[in-house]
Amino acid sequence: MKKLFAFLVLSTLLLLAACGDSSSKTQKDSEEKTDSSKEVSKEESKEVNLYTSRHYDVDDALYKEFEKETGIKVNVIKGEPDELLERIKREGDATKADLFLTADVARLFRAKEDGLLQAVSSDTLSKQVPEKFQDTDQMWYGLTKRARVIVYNKETVKPEELSTYEALTEAQWKNRVLIRGAENVYNQSLLASFIEINGEEKAKEWASGLVANFARDPEGGDRDQAKAITAGIGDVAIMNTYYYGQMLNSTDAEEVKVAESLGVFFPNQDTTGTHVNISGAGVINTSKNKENAVKLLEYLSAPAAQTVFAETNFEYPVNPEAASSELLKSWGEFKEQDIPLSTLGDHNSKAVMIFNEVGWK
Amino acid sequence: MRKFFSKMNTWSFLALCIILFLVGPNITIIEGLFTPENENWAHIKEYILADFIRASFLLVFFTGILTIVLGTSLAWLIAQYDFPLRSFYKWALILPLSIPPFIAAYTYHGILNYTGVVQTTLRNKLDVKVNAAYFDIMNMPGAIFIYTMVLFPYVYTIVRVFLSQQSATLIESARMLGKGPFKIFFQVVVPISRAAIVGGASLVILEVLNDYGVVKYFGIQTFSTAIFQTWFALGDIDSSLKLAASLMGFVIIILILEKVLRGRKQFSYASTKIRPLKLVTLRGGKAGFATFYCTIIFSLSFLIPVIQLIDWFILTFGHIPFQDFFIYVKNSTIVAAISATIIIVFALIVGNFNRLFQGRITKVLTRLSILGYSIPGAVIAVAIVTAFIQLDEWLTPLYVKLGLDSTLVLSVSLVMLITAYLVRFFAIGFNSIEAGYEKIGTNFRDASRLLGSGITKTFFKVDVPMMKGAIISGFILVFIDIMKEIPLTLILRPFNFDTLATKAFQYASDEKIMEASQASLFIIVISAIAIFIFNKLLEKEPS
């Protein structure tokens, strides 16, 4: 009996040990790796640890290309931006993270506020990323741009009827406006930009005016809004250019048809400009591979990588030297909102509260 | 007597260690209840609290009812009757469990939306103009439908195993007394399987309360969306922990209700002969109806979404990198298998402790150990990260002695992820094991003990063999759940560690549902194989 009991205990322990062991083995492997790399690191370390919330295949391809060119291994953890930030915070000084990359400026702002980032000065970066898309303290740099535009049904809406985001709250758009839910950070940043430009009261008026003109309660993603136009549920939608590009290039012929039936309109050209947001990255303040992290940033903002972003992911390059893709060019030049992007992060919480208050689900 | 206690103490010591291990991380969350209210909390109370309580309640209530109706009726049909395709549906009806809820939601939306197969066929082939709004499933009824379809197998599996192994005598007696099938169902089957039904339904409810993917995509505000919104959008983790803690409060109430509903009645083997129920063969219209019913449910819950996924798979094959999928498959299966094994071993120990010590404190302690299932994954993740970083801090002197260069060892390893799975999914394994223990009762154990066998020998010679069914079904359920798990894996995985679920999620969250089909299908196929194999194993069981 005792034996049997011992067996049970042992087998449990063994199991635990086995799982601990297998992972501690991989752990050891990676430790050895870092160990050896540490020895090298007296000259130069050969890896960079990246926490990213972007999970496009094109990003992976670029990291691989970077590895090939520089011999620096890019280790990646992908996740939702806030959860990654929370993890870095909890890991504290011991964190392995070197670089935090995410698809919205509000999160970069929060990373900076929480003291997770450090200033980076690099001539290459200053040259490749326009000042507007950098943090004022150089804590983060933008890598790609997305414009949040109005798309419209070519049959029922003439582009002349469109002018500004604000005009969508007018009576003629009653039951015709489509946009996704309030939990979406793109919408939060959009509203945050209005808080910055027009003040809180006006921004709130806009949000509640738009809710009054909703064709339906918000549901689905950006692509769903486009489809709802073609389906006749509404006539105009606010969505990111990047999704529109994806739809035009979809493997599904029906999606292409939807995209083709829509027109793209860049609002506020005569006033404050179209809202743009960025993907961007910042170096973690405890980074042990800071140089490599900066190298990766420089690589991603160089014309070659920028063009890849534009051509495969339909995002606008931030680097003015980079060639944009044919598709992006076909939509034409446009005037951008001219506000420091960090203000979007600054007003984010306020924007969320306004959404709740006006009943934007 | 003294010998008895000394033995028991080792058992209970082990069990207590496990419970402590599982409950530990949750303490961070309970703390949330006692942090002072801030202005965000006031805002939440004023503007969104009522909405999400209402939405959560509606979701839980209707999904609960519908899964009970579907699960129990199907379990009863399969357990009692023979009809065409029965042996296929017997295991195939578990398959919907292999589809991650968010994938089911994206897939159904993909089928039904404007560019989906239904509307395009109507529009392009049949030239029928339809109102797109009729096909909209991104709403409350749609969410209830999705949850019901992917979660009813919890009720089905647990009730079926219970009925097919346990109810023979009772049901056959009822038959001999001339009761018709419906009377037998409502007067015998439902009352005796009440514990199994409630057990299955409580898993469904906890899963619904916890799920984030479906409600976020459909734009429904529930407890879990509110927790994330508070945490992420308002950047206020204190208020979000407060919400999580209130959610836990609800769950505790549900668990207490569950105990009350199960009642004090215990139906365990009265005779040594455990034999399967003799199947009644259905003929004609009745057989047709039974097959039809199973076919409809199977098609809606599994066949239709899977066919759509296969279609997308073919459409996108070659458009996304495929060579790494072997690694994702390996990562997913190994981690799920290890975690499921540990959970079952833990559940056996805790379950036995629970059965042998019939005290109130024991009951409370074991209930506490399954609380992890009620907490949104991301919140558990933060609790676990905090705990592991603390652990690493304590172990730093050791690491230094060993000459490691980093002070983060455990917290960047798979151990952390597996621990999180244990905390999160222990409830699933424990539920099966507990039902198993309840079924076998204590008569045989007592007999074995009277005949002089020790508690441990009894455990291995008497309890475990009788519980094989429960062990196997518990293992499958946990394995599949981990295969499709999302928030924990996303946050807690080591560098460069992708699973099928994380891959599927990444594509889906970029609104690339077609590309997500590849990883989703792998999850479904692997889970289906697991279900099939274990079903074979179960059939070989003499019971």
Side-chain angles (χ1 to χ4, degrees):
Chain A
M1 273 173 293
K2 272 230 150 102
K3 259 191 225 157
L4 268 168
F5 186 73
F7 169 77
L8 175 80
V9 176
L10 248 166
S11 54
T12 319
L13 286 178
L14 268 176
L15 252 168
L16 273 173
C19 93
D21 207 42
S22 68
S23 43
S24 71
K25 205 175 145 204
T26 47
Q27 186 53 44
K28 228 184 262 164
D29 286 353
S30 71
E31 284 311 325
E32 270 163 25
K33 254 185 247 157
T34 34
D35 249 14
S36 56
S37 69
K38 200 184 169 196
E39 256 156 51
V40 185
S41 84
K42 276 151 203 160
E43 301 131 37
E44 53 173 331
S45 80
K46 278 296 179 193
E47 61 178 3
V48 55
N49 296 320
L50 174 67
Y51 282 38
T52 174
S53 73
R54 282 174 54 107
H55 16 67
Y56 312 116
D57 290 328
V58 51
D59 291 28
D60 290 335
L62 284 172
Y63 305 148
K64 274 192 190 141
E65 200 50 46
F66 174 75
E67 274 172 23
K68 243 192 259 165
E69 277 183 27
T70 59
I72 297 167
K73 171 110 176 64
V74 184
N75 294 316
V76 184
I77 290 185
K78 293 173 189 166
E80 299 297 280
D82 300 279
E83 297 160 12
L84 288 174
L85 279 181
E86 197 61 35
R87 178 166 172 177
I88 298 172
K89 232 189 280 179
R90 305 260 154 170
E91 286 172 348
D93 289 347
T95 187
K96 297 210 168 191
D98 296 312
L99 195 61
F100 173 65
L101 203 169
T102 186
D104 188 278
V105 71
R107 297 301 173 261
L108 291 170
F109 177 83
R110 187 170 295 163
K112 180 186 170 187
E113 286 283 282
D114 290 345
L116 300 179
L117 302 179
Q118 61 174 299
V120 166
S121 60
S122 138
D123 290 344
T124 320
L125 278 177
S126 316
K127 207 178 79 207
Q128 292 182 156
V129 183
E131 211 176 317
K132 189 179 156 194
F133 300 115
Q134 295 175 17
D135 175 44
T136 39
D137 302 316
Q138 297 182 305
M139 295 253 189
W140 48 257
Y141 290 87
L143 294 172
T144 66
K145 282 191 287 189
R146 295 107 176 265
R148 201 148 179 80
V149 297
I150 299 175
V151 296
Y152 59 92
N153 186 335
K154 282 186 197 163
E155 281 175 20
T156 58
V157 178
K158 291 193 192 69
E160 302 86 80
E161 295 174 70
L162 294 163
S163 58
T164 60
Y165 298 108
E166 289 84 350
L168 291 181
T169 61
E170 287 165 8
Q172 61 159 317
W173 298 108
K174 186 128 194 94
N175 299 328
R176 296 172 75 189
V177 180
L178 291 153
I179 189 166
R180 70 197 289 185
E183 94 296 338
N184 175 254
V185 71
Y186 304 142
N187 284 347
Q188 294 165 8
S189 287
L190 180 67
L191 186 57
S193 77
F194 297 157
I195 296 176
E196 172 67 19
I197 296 170
N198 305 324
E200 204 178 311
E201 269 316 300
K202 280 261 161 33
K204 190 169 172 179
E205 261 171 44
W206 176 80
S208 75
L210 205 68
V211 170
N213 283 350
F214 277 174
R216 65 171 180 202
D217 275 345
E219 59 177 43
D222 272 13
R223 291 184 193 215
D224 291 312
Q225 314 311 322
K227 290 177 189 175
I229 292 181
T230 321
I233 293 170
D235 290 315
V236 291
I238 296 178
M239 73 184 281
N240 276 6
T241 43
Y242 137 83
Y243 286 110
Y244 182 72
Q246 302 263 348
M247 290 183 82
L248 273 180
N249 287 277
S250 172
T251 36
D252 179 357
E254 284 295 325
E255 276 201 0
V256 180
K257 255 197 244 171
V258 167
E260 282 170 347
S261 74
L262 304 175
V264 175
F265 183 84
F266 290 91
N268 295 52
Q269 290 305 294
D270 299 328
T271 61
T272 50
T274 298
H275 173 69
V276 289
N277 205 329
I278 53 159
S279 279
V283 179
I284 301 298
N285 60 1
T286 51
S287 167
K288 286 148 197 97
N289 303 298
K290 183 179 172 186
E291 276 175 33
N292 295 343
V294 175
K295 271 186 204 156
L296 182 57
L297 275 180
E298 290 171 349
Y299 175 82
L300 292 176
S301 56
Q306 290 279 300
T307 306
V308 176
F309 280 131
E311 272 169 2
T312 46
N313 226 30
F314 315 108
E315 295 173 280
Y316 288 98
V318 288
N319 187 337
E321 303 288 309
S324 185
S325 74
E326 286 305 313
L327 176 66
L328 296 184
K329 276 187 214 151
S330 74
W331 296 336
E333 299 276 316
F334 65 95
K335 179 181 165 190
E336 293 168 5
Q337 267 180 356
D338 191 26
I339 49 171
L341 284 185
S342 54
T343 56
L344 302 183
D346 212 2
H347 299 310
N348 183 272
S349 302
K350 195 72 233 169
V352 172
M353 291 194 171
I354 290 179
F355 280 139
N356 288 335
E357 284 162 28
V358 302
W360 186 320
K361 301 266 156 115
Chain B
M1 204 57 184
R2 190 184 295 158
K3 197 177 161 199
F4 174 83
F5 270 110
S6 70
K7 285 270 163 51
M8 295 303 285
N9 281 338
T10 326
W11 268 96
S12 48
F13 177 71
L14 253 182
L16 286 175
C17 285
I18 293 171
I19 292 172
L20 217 68
F21 170 76
L22 295 172
V23 174
N26 303 339
I27 291 168
T28 328
I29 296 152
I30 296 168
E31 275 174 2
L33 270 182
F34 303 105
T35 51
E37 298 186 1
N38 56 21
E39 57 177 296
N40 286 333
W41 185 252
H43 173 84
I44 293 166
K45 270 203 298 205
E46 185 173 353
Y47 293 106
I48 52 178
L49 196 67
D51 268 354
F52 71 65
I53 288 179
R54 195 185 60 96
S56 291
F57 175 78
L58 287 176
L59 271 184
V60 162
F61 183 77
F62 285 105
T63 312
I65 298 280
L66 289 173
T67 48
I68 287 176
V69 171
L70 284 187
T72 314
S73 59
L74 288 166
W76 170 63
L77 266 184
I78 299 273
Q80 266 213 59
Y81 297 101
D82 194 15
F83 50 87
L85 292 179
R86 173 190 172 274
S87 55
F88 169 71
Y89 282 128
K90 184 179 169 189
W91 68 275
L93 285 169
I94 313 173
L95 288 176
L97 217 50
S98 64
I99 306 181
F102 74 94
I103 291 294
Y106 278 91
T107 308
Y108 258 107
H109 176 63
I111 294 172
L112 292 172
N113 79 29
Y114 183 73
T115 56
V117 60
V118 174
Q119 290 198 50
T120 48
T121 311
L122 286 174
R123 196 166 58 229
N124 300 343
K125 304 246 164 71
L126 306 174
D127 207 26
V128 180
K129 285 257 182 302
V130 286
N131 185 343
Y134 295 155
F135 294 92
D136 189 8
I137 62 154
M138 302 183 99
N139 44 38
M140 179 63 76
I144 292 169
F145 170 76
I146 297 289
Y147 286 128
T148 303
M149 283 304 149
V150 295
L151 298 176
F152 82 84
Y154 279 126
V155 180
Y156 165 74
T157 326
I158 295 176
V159 176
R160 197 205 75 199
V161 169
F162 174 85
L163 284 179
S164 60
Q165 293 185 355
Q166 151 92 55
S167 57
T169 346
L170 289 170
I171 292 175
E172 276 161 20
S173 311
R175 275 183 200 154
M176 282 199 294
L177 291 170
K179 296 264 184 189
F182 286 96
K183 280 210 163 143
I184 292 180
F185 181 69
F186 286 108
Q187 293 180 355
V188 181
V189 172
V190 171
I192 61 170
S193 42
R194 194 166 69 186
I197 294 173
V198 174
S202 67
L203 290 182
V204 171
I205 290 172
L206 294 180
E207 193 95 18
V208 171
L209 278 178
N210 198 319
D211 184 74
Y212 179 56
V214 178
V215 281
K216 184 189 172 199
Y217 186 50
F218 283 9
I220 298 170
Q221 294 208 311
T222 64
F223 249 113
S224 58
T225 53
I227 289 170
F228 286 91
Q229 201 191 350
T230 311
W231 178 7
F232 300 156
L234 296 176
D236 180 357
I237 196 158
D238 286 342
S239 295
S240 94
L241 284 179
K242 223 187 237 320
L243 283 170
S246 341
L247 179 62
M248 248 163 72
F250 272 109
V251 171
I252 291 171
I253 293 170
I254 290 171
L255 292 174
I256 292 170
L257 270 179
E258 184 208 329
K259 272 286 152 205
V260 174
L261 284 174
R262 279 192 187 194
R264 312 181 89 187
K265 292 188 191 118
Q266 295 208 338
F267 300 96
S268 46
Y269 294 118
S271 81
T272 47
K273 264 208 154 18
I274 314 158
R275 59 193 168 79
L277 188 61
K278 200 152 172 276
L279 295 181
V280 175
T281 308
L282 293 178
R283 292 185 202 292
K286 281 183 185 163
F289 177 76
T291 310
F292 175 73
Y293 180 50
C294 292
T295 308
I296 286 282
I297 301 300
F298 178 69
S299 306
L300 284 175
S301 59
F302 188 77
L303 203 59
I304 292 173
V306 168
I307 288 175
Q308 176 66 76
L309 286 170
I310 292 174
D311 178 43
W312 285 334
F313 182 93
I314 296 167
L315 207 62
T316 53
F317 192 80
H319 288 269
I320 59 168
F322 194 68
Q323 66 276 16
D324 294 337
F325 269 79
F326 173 69
I327 302 171
Y328 308 149
V329 170
K330 201 186 79 186
N331 287 348
S332 300
T333 39
I334 290 179
V335 175
I338 291 175
S339 313
T341 312
I342 300 175
I343 284 179
I344 295 300
V345 173
F346 279 10
L348 281 170
I349 296 171
V350 176
N352 202 27
F353 165 71
N354 183 36
R355 179 176 63 141
L356 299 178
F357 284 82
Q358 300 273 357
R360 195 166 290 165
I361 297 173
T362 323
K363 287 264 174 310
V364 171
L365 279 175
T366 46
R367 290 291 109 187
L368 278 183
S369 66
I370 70 174
L371 269 186
Y373 200 55
S374 71
I375 307 161
V379 177
I380 292 192
V382 172
I384 296 267
V385 167
T386 314
F388 266 75
I389 286 163
Q390 185 62 56
L391 197 64
D392 268 341
E393 259 169 42
W394 287 334
L395 291 175
T396 299
L398 184 73
Y399 299 154
V400 172
K401 228 176 228 168
L402 289 173
L404 302 177
D405 74 325
S406 169
T407 52
L408 291 183
V409 174
L410 285 175
S411 58
V412 292
S413 73
L414 269 182
V415 176
M416 179 162 76
L417 181 60
I418 291 175
T419 306
Y421 287 150
L422 301 186
V423 173
R424 172 86 175 85
F425 292 112
F426 180 74
I428 302 271
F430 185 71
N431 227 298
S432 289
I433 299 294
E434 195 189 26
Y437 276 127
E438 267 177 26
K439 194 182 67 195
I440 64 175
T442 50
N443 296 347
F444 295 98
R445 188 197 68 94
D446 293 345
S448 166
R449 299 281 294 125
L450 272 176
L451 292 170
S453 290
I455 182 90
T456 309
K457 184 173 181 186
T458 303
F459 176 72
F460 280 104
K461 293 269 173 182
V462 179
D463 294 341
V464 169
M466 286 175 81
M467 302 236 318
K468 224 168 203 167
I471 291 176
I472 291 174
S473 57
F475 182 90
I476 311 174
L477 291 180
V478 176
F479 179 85
I480 293 175
D481 245 329
I482 294 177
M483 283 289 292
K484 53 183 188 176
E485 202 282 334
I486 270 300
L488 290 177
T489 323
L490 271 183
I491 308 172
L492 299 178
R493 62 200 161 137
F495 276 111
N496 306 323
F497 184 87
D498 263 306
T499 64
L500 291 169
T502 61
K503 256 343 228 195
F505 174 78
Q506 286 162 10
Y507 284 118
S509 72
D510 290 339
E511 301 186 24
K512 292 182 177 172
I513 179 61
M514 288 189 247
E515 284 81 355
S517 66
Q518 307 200 357
S520 311
L521 274 178
F522 271 105
I523 296 177
I524 293 167
V525 168
I526 292 171
S527 306
I529 294 172
I531 290 171
F532 182 76
I533 291 174
F534 286 114
N535 190 65
K536 286 281 162 219
L537 287 177
L538 274 183
E539 270 175 3
K540 279 200 196 128
E541 279 303 295
S543 66

